[in-house]
Amino acid sequence: MKMTKLTTTALATALTLAFSAQAADDRYIIKVDESKKGVVKALAKQLGGELKVDGNGFFAASFTGKSLSDVKGLLNNPHVQVIEEDHRRIPFSAYSDDLGNAMVEQLTPYALYQSEANQVSFAANAGMKVCVIDSGLDRSNQDFVWGNITGDNDSGTGNWDEHGGPHGTHVAGTIGAADNNVGVVGMAPGVDMHIIKVFNAEGWGYSSDLAHAADKCADAGANIISMSLGGGGANSTEENAFKSFTEAGGLVLAAAGNDGNSVRSYPAGYSSVMMIGANDNNNDIADFSQFPSCEVTTGRGKNRTTITDETICVEVTAGGVDTLSTYPAGMATSSSMSADGQAFASSSMENAGNISGSVYFMGTAETVDSSANGNICVIDRGAISFYDKVLNCENSGGVGAIIVNNEAGMLFGTLGDANATSIPAVGAAFEDRSALISASNATINIGTSDYGFMSGTSMATPAVSGIAALVWSNHNGCSGTDIREALKATAQDNGAAGNDVYFGYGIVKAKAAHDYLTANGCGGGVTPPPSGDISLDTATGRAKGRNYVDLSWTGASTASVDIFRNGSLLRTTTNDGSYRDSFKSSGTLTYKVCDQDSTNCSAEVTVNL
């Protein structure tokens, strides 16, 4: 794409044509005298036309397998004024990365525009520090303020500043890549970071590693913990570690997961952790972004209760599809392409090289074509494999290949494991097809890079982490929970109206959150209820083969109280100062009592059975 961002007005009107020998979907517009339309419509139907649109002075119909000249011949009628192709109209992306080569110039990833982070200045002296728990940050990348970065190793993982794969370096760049005229720019450029390398050589760790890392983050003075990781199952050790960090005023964020289902992943599924989903550059939800339910059911029979808890499902989303960020040196493959001096977006397919030449349109490149000799082939997707297209171009004497998508968006692909071609080949977006076909010359470059693309809620999470640091740096009297609430209160509602399991409150917006806190203060303009007024005591015992916990409390002010066990609502009961919880199981439990539907709660009390 040529643009970096479209305004709302431009987006509503930005459309592109689909070019083909036969109209897209075999569909045509027939302009007629309105008074004679019925006669022509009847004729069109008689000749196999399927009516699609009935407009003022025209109608649209599809004629399967018929070209424009075929339809003109069929509808050779004096009442027909014009017959023309009914072209597809496709919206451009709402947001796009800057075009260019990140190795020699600074590019802004689309998520930064989408989140409005480019409209807020990072306050570098505000004391923000983001703790990144991942696979390490490779010191070879030039795009970090290394004097602001510290780190720890977990047992057996190696040095924190030597990568254990590109994931951790990519994540860190989205958070805090420097604003230094090269590479990319992070959401909070140059922010202090503490890197904890928890993944072993096989690329995984344990929940205990994360619990230990949370303590290291706190010891390092971090305000924010960012985790682009997760897995199945919860445990109290991990949960309590992040709960403690949050209760101390911090903010913890984790990825929802990439399986595209409703499974709850942890640590994102803990109430003290802000769960982050992913959207793309068109403001659509990513098809891989997990969407666990916000509902929790406790108890059995008549004691069965279902409540909605918005802290255990996706709370906000950010850009996480084809995200451009930092890589360890030379580990990414990147491409650049221009035609007639104009840069266009491209994707690297195969074969490193830098080539310039005249453009030759080779159609779908199903056969060798001597006219391609010495030229760069522009090829339509379809009919045969990408490999066969590039091979036919090369066997025709072509020096490079550009394969254009046949549907909206960029073409991503490879030439397969058996690739034996040598000329550089890139994918191109369908929206750029006309410009590429009509160009006189083009340049293709494919090579290694310190910058590349990844997709996942793993990419959306550091985006929100960096945005949180950015906003918080301008309101450093707030707590992490204040920042969390501000991001939710100002997110752009998307998907179903209101909070939903896919987007949560919506796509995070840095400028809106900053303005909200400026206008309303850290509490969002709402006076919080009193806290700490309720005192809770417990006693344990065993009767009739069952364990029990007797709760007694004072200081509650509502007619009924909410009793929580292990962070989930156990039941709402009359405020008479006592309640017995009876069960057959044993273990460690935590309890608290709150005024009904209130945050005025007792301190949590832990019991061991």
Side-chain angles (χ1 to χ4, degrees):
M1 307 300 172
K2 297 181 182 179
M3 73 300 294
T4 57
K5 180 179 177 182
L6 291 175
T7 63
T8 302
T9 302
L11 178 60
T13 58
L15 303 169
T16 187
L17 294 175
F19 296 89
S20 62
Q22 189 164 302
D25 309 312
D26 301 341
R27 182 164 155 156
Y28 304 88
I29 299 173
I30 297 94
K31 294 182 67 176
V32 297
D33 184 328
E34 184 67 19
S35 65
K36 304 297 183 181
K37 186 197 293 183
V39 174
V40 181
K41 283 168 56 179
L43 177 61
K45 290 180 181 179
Q46 183 180 350
L47 295 171
E50 183 180 348
L51 184 66
K52 299 295 184 180
V53 176
D54 192 352
N56 184 19
F58 73 92
F59 65 92
S62 62
F63 292 80
T64 303
K66 299 293 190 295
S67 68
L68 178 60
S69 59
D70 292 335
V71 176
K72 285 181 176 180
L74 289 171
L75 293 179
N76 186 10
N77 186 287
H79 302 306
V80 174
Q81 299 171 355
V82 174
I83 301 176
E84 51 195 358
E85 292 183 17
D86 196 2
H87 296 289
R88 292 182 184 181
R89 295 293 187 254
I90 303 167
F92 287 125
S93 300
Y95 303 91
S96 298
D97 299 330
D98 290 347
L99 294 178
N101 183 351
M103 294 294 286
V104 297
E105 59 185 315
Q106 182 167 280
L107 307 180
T108 301
Y110 78 83
L112 199 138
Y113 294 121
Q114 186 178 54
S115 67
E116 303 174 344
N118 61 316
Q119 300 179 40
V120 182
S121 296
F122 176 63
N125 297 321
M128 289 296 108
K129 181 179 285 189
V130 182
C131 191
V132 183
I133 303 176
D134 210 286
S135 63
L137 170 58
D138 198 83
R139 191 173 284 273
S140 65
N141 195 287
Q142 61 184 327
D143 212 3
F144 294 95
V145 182
W146 283 99
N148 294 347
I149 302 175
T150 55
D152 279 307
N153 310 318
D154 208 347
S155 177
T157 61
N159 296 329
W160 66 266
D161 57 352
E162 295 176 359
H163 73 84
H167 192 270
T169 302
H170 196 277
V171 163
T174 296
I175 294 170
D179 187 0
N180 59 357
N181 298 317
V182 70
V184 295
V185 59
M187 294 292 182
V191 66
D192 288 6
M193 287 188 282
H194 189 74
I195 309 300
I196 301 183
K197 187 177 182 180
V198 296
F199 296 146
N200 59 26
E202 287 73 38
W204 49 268
Y206 291 96
S207 59
S208 58
D209 295 327
L210 300 190
H212 186 45
D215 292 336
K216 290 184 176 182
C217 291
D219 292 343
N223 313 86
I224 297 169
I225 293 176
S226 184
M227 295 178 290
S228 294
L229 47 80
N235 66 64
S236 60
T237 301
E238 183 182 48
E239 180 179 19
N240 289 336
F242 296 120
K243 181 179 178 184
S244 295
F245 188 90
T246 299
E247 289 179 344
L251 175 61
V252 186
L253 306 96
N258 298 328
D259 289 336
N261 57 31
S262 61
V263 173
R264 182 171 290 108
S265 179
Y266 295 91
Y270 299 127
S271 290
S272 61
V273 179
M274 189 175 189
M275 185 186 295
I276 309 301
N279 56 260
D280 65 14
N281 63 341
N282 276 321
N283 295 340
D284 294 325
I285 199 69
D287 58 7
F288 53 75
S289 189
Q290 283 173 225
F291 48 93
S293 170
C294 301
E295 293 188 345
V296 179
T297 301
T298 60
R300 297 179 181 177
K302 65 179 182 180
N303 294 324
R304 185 180 177 88
T305 303
T306 300
I307 63 169
T308 298
D309 183 353
E310 295 171 350
T311 66
I312 61 170
C313 48
V314 172
E315 297 188 41
V316 294
T317 67
V321 178
D322 297 328
T323 298
L324 177 65
S325 189
T326 47
Y327 263 66
M331 281 194 69
T333 300
S334 67
S335 67
S336 61
M337 176 180 67
S338 64
D340 289 345
Q342 170 67 54
F344 290 88
S346 64
S347 69
S348 172
M349 297 185 77
E350 300 285 354
N351 305 329
N354 188 350
I355 193 72
S356 296
S358 298
V359 167
Y360 175 70
F361 178 53
M362 203 173 171
T364 52
E366 297 174 49
T367 60
V368 171
D369 183 345
S370 61
S371 296
N373 185 45
N375 298 323
I376 292 177
C377 308
V378 174
I379 302 169
D380 276 333
R381 180 181 185 178
I384 61 175
S385 71
F386 299 149
Y387 170 72
D388 288 333
K389 291 175 184 292
V390 176
L391 182 63
N392 285 336
C393 172
E394 184 169 10
N395 287 341
S396 302
V399 296
I402 301 170
I403 302 180
V404 183
N405 208 353
N406 59 0
E407 59 184 11
M410 176 61 62
L411 173 65
F412 293 97
T414 70
L415 303 188
D417 294 337
N419 173 43
T421 65
S422 61
I423 61 175
V426 299
F430 175 78
E431 292 84 347
D432 295 329
R433 180 178 185 274
S434 176
L436 294 173
I437 289 174
S438 62
S440 297
N441 55 74
T443 297
I444 302 171
N445 181 53
I446 299 178
T448 59
S449 178
D450 302 351
Y451 303 88
F453 296 89
M454 287 188 183
S455 294
T457 55
S458 284
M459 284 61 253
T461 299
V464 181
S465 300
I467 290 164
L470 173 67
V471 173
W472 204 350
S473 76
N474 289 276
H475 305 274
N476 60 359
C478 297
S479 69
T481 299
D482 294 331
I483 300 302
R484 180 177 180 175
E485 295 304 315
L487 294 177
K488 292 192 292 186
T490 56
Q492 176 185 308
D493 189 21
N494 225 38
N499 185 284
D500 68 83
V501 295
Y502 297 98
F503 286 94
Y505 282 91
I507 300 173
V508 70
K509 296 289 180 179
K511 180 62 162 57
H514 169 59
D515 291 345
Y516 174 85
L517 290 168
T518 299
N520 300 303
C522 293
V526 178
T527 302
S531 60
D533 296 335
I534 303 174
S535 297
L536 173 65
D537 291 310
T538 60
T540 62
R542 186 173 178 82
K544 297 181 180 180
R546 296 169 66 89
N547 293 319
Y548 66 81
V549 179
D550 283 337
L551 285 72
S552 58
W553 64 88
T554 59
S557 60
T558 53
S560 296
V561 294
D562 295 331
I563 297 176
F564 290 84
R565 182 175 67 194
N566 291 344
S568 298
L569 181 65
L570 175 62
R571 71 172 303 167
T572 299
T573 187
T574 303
N575 182 14
D576 57 8
S578 65
Y579 176 79
R580 172 169 286 190
D581 186 23
S582 178
F583 38 81
K584 291 183 177 180
S585 60
S586 60
T588 300
L589 304 171
T590 60
Y591 291 90
K592 69 177 178 180
V593 176
C594 305
D595 282 335
Q596 186 177 9
D597 299 326
S598 169
T599 57
N600 181 35
C601 302
S602 69
E604 282 196 340
V605 176
T606 301
V607 298
N608 295 294
L609 296 168

